[in-house]
Amino acid sequence: MKEIILIKNGEIALKGLNRGTFEDVLVKNIKRRLSPYLKADIKKSQSTIMIDPINDDADMDAAAEALKRVFGIAGFSRAAACEKDMEVIKSTAVEYLKPSFRDVKTFKVEAKRSDKSFPLNSPQICNELGGEILSNYPYLKVDVHNPDLIVNVEVRDQYAFIHGNQIKGAGGMPTGTSGRAAVMISGGIDSPVAAWTMAKRGLVIDAIHFASPPYTSQRAEQKVHELLGKVSRYSGTINLLVVPFTEIQERIKDDCPEEYFTIIMRRMMMRIAVGLAKKQGCGALITGESLAQVASQTLWALGCTDAVATIPVFRPLIGMDKNEIVEISRKIDTFDISIQPYEDCCTVFTPKHPKLRPSPEEVEAAEKALDIEDLINRAIEGVKLTIIDHSLEA
Ligand code: ATP
Ligand code: MG
């Protein structure tokens, strides 16, 4: 039996004149993501993209799994494509949707025909097919208002398509249609979720991680690789820049007042991240900060951090509770990696009583003893690049 995939665009269906450009990017992304599993003829019509596999050994299960992680797709259906003959449509539906019929109690048939020369109209198709399904699966009932399963029949130019309930897509905008941004990634729960949330809006993601060996271990860096591996299954390849941060943290510890350690460290991170982001062609930074979660994420502390940022800083989790963030991290499969206990540089030299309401002026005074430019330049010179390739992740 011939099987195809029908994809429903997400939000790009609402775009006006630019819609074609967004769709072209989406089609390219779909093609690339599906390439390990099948070769396909891809056709667009209205807000549907049709994937018609041309190789006999297409792996449709793997392709469907991969599609769930392509941004820009609201939902999709695997569909049987059969001859436009009512008898064939009936036998195909009864056979193809057998696994779905086993799982439900109620159904209804919805029919569409763009080929008006088909001898039956839509209500007649529904009646005939509904009757056939009931006689094959007598335990089923028709429920037109709230059915467990909708059996869709679409009679088009070449084939009739038959499919069951839609599979939910990842939503968002196609990767690459919103430019590029760099996520500041730790090994924690929040920053991978922040990266995924912004990647969903169509951004290509780079990543910046600050490492402070020997205070932080190689294993902590490995954790960041693993987290980005999970994110890259959605976002595509990620360039990871690891910044040597030990010297800066030691300087802060030796030369600055203790209650400002964390906020000064955050400002140093921000300055370096801005420099690297600009070099990489990124238009914004992304962090996993959430208002009031910790001392460095109070309104005042965020103000001090932002004061040194000369590009936009996206904080998609700013208004979320921890349990909402955890829910997303479970969904994208980063949670179990994040909770492994490896020291992050943020937990090195933390003050006992951090300043909760710092002002930019007092922080500036507190960091006066540092040769900021020199420290930043040396850190940037020591950056190491790793490419996190999504094809390495199953
Ligand atoms: P996360 O769960 O993402 O670690 P957090 O709640 O632990 O966040 P902080 O440790 O204060 O909060 O970090 C706030 C944000 O700063 C992080 O979400 C991340 O964007 C960035 N950040 C923290 N540590 C690092 C690091 N070592 N390298 C790069 N960015 C970092
Ligand atoms: Mg952290």
Side-chain angles (χ1 to χ4, degrees):
M1 184 189 302
K2 182 178 174 59
E3 196 180 28
I4 59 141
I5 301 175
L6 296 171
I7 295 175
K8 285 277 168 224
N9 292 349
E11 216 176 297
I12 58 176
L14 306 174
K15 296 272 170 214
L17 292 175
N18 292 329
R19 187 168 124 188
T21 323
F22 284 90
E23 280 177 350
D24 290 345
V25 176
L26 179 57
V27 167
K28 231 169 52 200
N29 292 349
I30 290 171
K31 215 178 224 165
R32 195 176 51 241
R33 283 307 175 80
L34 295 188
S35 64
Y37 315 115
L38 51 82
K39 284 196 183 54
D41 197 11
I42 302 186
K43 293 193 197 83
K44 295 190 290 180
S45 78
Q46 282 125 24
S47 59
T48 306
I49 297 168
M50 186 177 101
I51 313 283
D52 186 356
I54 49 179
N55 53 325
D56 292 336
D57 56 348
D59 185 344
M60 296 297 271
D61 292 340
E65 263 324 292
L67 278 181
K68 287 184 194 165
R69 299 193 292 263
V70 177
F71 291 130
I73 296 177
F76 64 93
S77 309
R78 289 168 72 162
C82 71
E83 195 188 324
K84 295 195 292 185
D85 172 286
M86 199 57 222
E87 289 311 308
V88 179
I89 290 173
K90 287 198 290 199
S91 60
T92 305
V94 164
E95 195 49 38
Y96 180 66
L97 294 176
K98 195 187 266 176
S100 308
F101 289 133
R102 286 204 187 112
D103 284 350
V104 299
K105 293 198 174 71
T106 59
F107 77 99
K108 78 167 173 180
V109 181
E110 283 186 359
K112 265 191 243 159
R113 60 175 192 154
S114 52
D115 172 10
K116 301 293 178 199
S117 71
F118 190 72
L120 304 179
N121 64 22
S122 300
Q124 288 167 330
I125 298 172
C126 292
N127 268 332
E128 286 236 358
L129 181 54
E132 182 74 13
I133 292 170
L134 287 171
S135 70
N136 279 274
Y137 303 98
Y139 57 89
L140 290 177
K141 287 201 165 51
V142 173
D143 179 347
V144 290
H145 300 295
N146 195 17
D148 300 331
L149 174 69
I150 297 177
V151 176
N152 297 276
V153 180
E154 300 182 35
V155 182
R156 299 213 192 177
D157 337 327
Q158 210 185 345
Y159 294 104
F161 298 133
I162 296 157
H163 56 94
N165 290 337
Q166 215 179 56
I167 300 163
K168 204 168 171 338
M173 302 297 288
T175 302
T177 56
S178 294
R180 180 181 283 271
V183 61
M184 295 170 68
I185 184 121
S186 67
I189 294 171
D190 303 332
S191 42
V193 172
W196 178 85
T197 306
M198 293 317 302
K200 184 165 180 269
R201 295 305 300 166
L203 287 167
V204 174
I205 301 292
D206 280 343
I208 299 170
H209 175 68
F210 294 86
S212 295
Y215 306 106
T216 61
S217 67
Q218 189 55 39
R219 194 62 193 79
E221 215 175 298
Q222 181 57 30
K223 192 174 159 187
V224 168
H225 287 208
E226 286 169 22
L227 289 170
L228 290 173
K230 294 291 184 189
V231 175
S232 74
R233 301 196 307 165
Y234 293 85
S235 69
T237 304
I238 297 174
N239 297 318
L240 166 65
L241 306 173
V242 176
V243 185
F245 204 50
T246 314
E247 186 192 5
I248 292 179
Q249 287 201 281
E250 287 176 341
R251 286 271 66 74
I252 294 172
K253 176 177 169 277
D254 290 345
D255 299 340
C256 303
E258 183 180 336
E259 58 184 341
Y260 294 99
F261 280 1
T262 309
I263 190 69
I264 293 173
M265 179 193 74
R266 309 244 1 122
R267 280 160 63 97
M268 291 303 282
M269 280 184 171
M270 191 55 81
R271 291 179 177 109
I272 293 167
V274 167
L276 292 173
K278 285 182 177 168
K279 262 191 173 173
Q280 294 284 111
C282 295
L285 289 169
I286 300 164
T287 78
E289 287 156 317
S290 163
L291 190 65
Q293 199 187 79
V294 289
S296 61
Q297 295 172 28
T298 65
L299 180 62
W300 300 270
L302 291 173
C304 291
T305 316
D306 254 9
V308 297
T310 51
I311 57 175
V313 180
F314 295 154
R315 297 181 170 93
L317 315 186
I318 197 73
M320 287 191 197
D321 292 352
K322 195 73 184 187
N323 58 349
E324 294 170 303
I325 300 168
V326 164
E327 196 177 313
I328 300 176
S329 78
R330 288 191 193 277
K331 186 169 97 177
I332 63 173
D333 208 22
T334 53
F335 182 76
D336 289 337
I337 303 170
S338 291
I339 58 173
Q340 292 168 16
Y342 299 103
E343 197 90 4
D344 183 68
C345 69
C346 282
T347 46
V348 178
F349 311 137
T350 45
K352 274 192 214 65
H353 302 290
K355 202 76 177 159
L356 296 177
R357 297 189 177 200
S359 72
E361 295 74 29
E362 66 192 64
V363 180
E364 263 169 46
E367 67 191 13
K368 265 248 145 45
L370 302 175
D371 187 346
I372 291 175
E373 218 180 290
D374 187 48
L375 287 169
I376 289 175
N377 288 340
R378 266 212 301 285
I380 289 182
E381 271 166 29
V383 165
K384 279 200 313 267
L385 167 72
T386 311
I387 292 167
I388 311 287
D389 184 349
H390 73 92
S391 65
L392 301 175
E393 267 288 325

